[in-house]
Amino acid sequence: MDVRAQILTQATRLFADQGYDGTSVQEIAEAVGIRKPSLLYHFKSKDELRENVLAEMLAHWNAVLPGLLLKASTEERFDATMEALSEFFIEDPDRARLFLRETLDRPEQMRAMLAQFVQPWVELLGDQLERAKEQGLVQRDVDPQAYAVEVITMAVAGTAVIDSLQVILPDDPARGSTRKRHTSELIRIARSSLYTKSEGEK
Amino acid sequence: MDVRAQILTQATRLFADQGYDGTSVQEIAEAVGIRKPSLLYHFKSKDELRENVLAEMLAHWNAVLPGLLLKASTEERFDATMEALSEFFIEDPDRARLFLRETLDRPEQMRAMLAQFVQPWVELLGDQLERAKEQGLVQRDVDPQAYAVEVITMAVAGTAVIDSLQVILPDDPARGSTRKRHTSELIRIARSSLYTKSEGEK
DNA sequence: CCTACCGATCGGTAGG
DNA sequence: CCTACCGATCGGTAGG
């Protein structure tokens, strides 16, 4: 792995762990095994590094998420999609925490990002839910866009804070690990608050 | 208002806005209208100030939340409780953002806090849901503790990031403001994924 | 509650 | 990719 990629990897991890302001350039350089001025040769400033970390995260999401969401729309397999979506965040909690942190730290910038990358998919999902409502498959009082936003919030935030929840949501022999319980209940809530009963029951 | 209270108010606002590491003692002192050493006379260190800000937030929650949750259990008015819970966070988004930030920044410490202040209520709510399940009022596949955690996560995180969501969830003449749409859908999801259908329908 | 000041660390640059 | 160094700001203290 070349140095640039190593810098991005360590920066992602440290920004997710400690936040942008809580992480020094020095600390990232040490994690990579180089000196601070060497890092600043690859990325001209700490801010430029942050932008590259975010761009990489977005690129990864754009490569994977469309497939998940299209699967949902074409196959009407909402369960499988929700499970994939949840596992997509669980698989790399750093990304979920980074996303949440940036939304808190730079709401203005995140607004622009959401408009560009998330809104089209929420819109598309909204249209499909609207049609499913007309066919009686989906509960009539659903607000499709708001529903999508709440479910995504639950998936992202739930993943970001999962490690703090072990006290409240301990591993359970009958129900599985903390993560499993979180994922299962997230999916159950999302499904059971969406479909009409005849469709929602197994 | 005495100086100590002013310091706590401004520190709460700035920590919620910019995070602990993103806020300097100097900045808080300026917001209050005093010099930095004067602030450090009232709170011996920045860390002690942070602890006091958190303690004040917890005190406020402990004074208000038990009433909300007891109302839910005794009156079985889940809707009203969820609405009150959501409005409790919406009313002061600073507290929701601060809570989320601390969970990200100091997960270890937050684990202890959750164990002390949140777990008892989740346990109590869990027991009541368990009994309601036996009576057939609540869907049989609900994981009560996990359900409580997901709904609280949705309420806190949703409130904390609401301002960034206006692009995705715009004001709508038929559905109301962004906040209204968030609150309504949150309550709808929570209710409709909990009760059995005969009970859940209006 | 203030002025004056401390060492440590910050992001970043010069120059090789 | 390094050594050497910069001014600015950080949290905190002395002393009144």
Side-chain angles (χ1 to χ4, degrees):
Chain A
M1 188 158 67
D2 75 325
V3 187
R4 225 187 124 89
Q6 279 186 61
I7 294 172
L8 287 172
T9 302
Q10 296 301 328
T12 301
R13 185 178 60 82
L14 289 165
F15 287 162
D17 264 8
Q18 312 174 344
Y20 178 79
D21 289 318
T23 305
S24 64
V25 176
Q26 166 77 16
E27 208 176 348
I28 301 168
E30 265 173 29
V32 175
I34 58 176
R35 304 286 175 182
K36 184 175 61 166
S38 309
L39 189 155
L40 288 168
Y41 163 78
H42 292 284
F43 299 91
K44 271 183 293 189
S45 69
K46 190 186 181 186
D47 196 71
E48 189 183 302
L49 176 55
R50 200 201 78 242
E51 278 174 16
N52 276 272
V53 164
L54 249 73
E56 208 208 27
M57 183 187 78
L58 283 180
H60 180 246
W61 287 10
N62 272 303
V64 180
L65 270 180
L68 294 185
L69 292 173
L70 284 176
K71 191 159 73 171
S73 59
T74 54
E75 300 185 18
E76 288 197 26
R77 281 275 187 168
F78 198 74
D79 279 38
T81 305
M82 273 304 305
E83 197 146 0
L85 189 70
S86 183
E87 264 165 33
F88 172 72
F89 290 120
I90 285 269
E91 157 206 302
D92 190 351
D94 278 358
R95 283 189 245 260
R97 285 185 293 162
L98 193 65
F99 182 76
L100 204 55
R101 281 190 186 279
E102 285 295 312
T103 307
L104 289 168
D105 286 347
R106 273 162 282 274
E108 205 66 31
Q109 173 204 284
M110 200 48 53
R111 220 172 298 190
M113 215 213 71
L114 289 169
Q116 195 180 347
F117 294 102
V118 180
Q119 206 207 358
W121 297 105
V122 170
E123 211 62 46
L124 186 136
L125 191 62
D127 289 351
Q128 272 150 359
L129 292 183
E130 207 66 67
R131 264 182 290 148
K133 261 164 77 171
E134 286 160 17
Q135 294 169 29
L137 299 172
V138 156
Q139 296 175 30
R140 54 184 160 57
D141 50 355
V142 172
D143 176 344
Q145 279 93 2
Y147 171 83
V149 165
E150 296 298 323
V151 169
I152 291 172
T153 300
M154 201 166 27
V156 172
T159 304
V161 304
I162 190 87
D163 288 340
S164 303
L165 297 179
Q166 280 174 351
V167 194
I168 295 181
L169 206 63
D171 292 348
D172 180 318
R175 291 190 165 112
S177 67
T178 299
R179 281 175 193 218
K180 177 72 190 158
R181 290 180 73 183
H182 154 65
T183 308
S184 301
E185 189 66 10
L186 166 62
I187 293 168
R188 193 199 65 75
I189 290 174
R191 169 170 30 86
S192 128
S193 61
L194 181 62
Y195 295 116
T196 48
K197 249 345 185 208
S198 54
E199 186 70 14
E201 306 269 317
K202 276 201 188 168
Chain B
M1 188 158 65
D2 75 324
V3 187
R4 224 186 125 89
Q6 280 186 61
I7 294 172
L8 286 172
T9 303
Q10 296 302 327
T12 300
R13 185 178 60 82
L14 288 166
F15 287 162
D17 264 7
Q18 312 175 344
Y20 178 78
D21 289 317
T23 306
S24 64
V25 176
Q26 167 77 16
E27 207 176 350
I28 301 168
E30 265 172 30
V32 175
I34 58 176
R35 305 285 175 184
K36 185 174 62 165
S38 309
L39 189 155
L40 289 168
Y41 162 78
H42 291 284
F43 299 91
K44 269 184 294 189
S45 69
K46 189 187 181 185
D47 196 72
E48 190 183 299
L49 176 55
R50 198 202 80 240
E51 278 173 17
N52 276 273
V53 164
L54 250 72
E56 208 207 26
M57 182 187 77
L58 283 180
H60 179 247
W61 287 10
N62 273 303
V64 180
L65 271 180
L68 294 185
L69 292 173
L70 284 175
K71 191 159 72 172
S73 59
T74 54
E75 300 185 21
E76 288 196 27
R77 281 274 186 169
F78 198 75
D79 280 36
T81 305
M82 273 303 306
E83 197 146 0
L85 188 70
S86 184
E87 264 165 34
F88 172 72
F89 290 120
I90 285 269
E91 158 206 302
D92 191 350
D94 278 358
R95 283 189 245 259
R97 285 186 292 163
L98 193 66
F99 182 77
L100 204 54
R101 281 190 185 279
E102 285 296 311
T103 307
L104 289 168
D105 287 347
R106 274 163 281 274
E108 207 66 34
Q109 172 204 285
M110 199 49 53
R111 222 173 297 192
M113 215 214 71
L114 289 169
Q116 196 180 346
F117 294 102
V118 180
Q119 208 207 356
W121 296 105
V122 170
E123 212 60 48
L124 186 136
L125 192 60
D127 289 350
Q128 272 150 359
L129 292 184
E130 208 66 66
R131 264 182 289 148
K133 261 164 76 170
E134 287 160 18
Q135 292 168 30
L137 299 172
V138 156
Q139 297 174 30
R140 55 188 158 57
D141 50 356
V142 172
D143 176 343
Q145 279 93 2
Y147 171 83
V149 164
E150 296 296 322
V151 169
I152 291 171
T153 300
M154 202 166 26
V156 173
T159 303
V161 304
I162 190 88
D163 288 339
S164 304
L165 297 179
Q166 279 174 351
V167 193
I168 295 181
L169 208 62
D171 292 349
D172 180 317
R175 290 188 166 115
S177 67
T178 299
R179 281 175 192 219
K180 178 71 189 158
R181 291 180 73 182
H182 155 64
T183 308
S184 301
E185 189 67 9
L186 167 63
I187 293 168
R188 193 198 65 74
I189 290 173
R191 168 169 32 84
S192 129
S193 61
L194 181 63
Y195 294 116
T196 47
K197 252 337 184 216
S198 53
E199 186 71 13
E201 305 270 317
K202 275 202 187 164

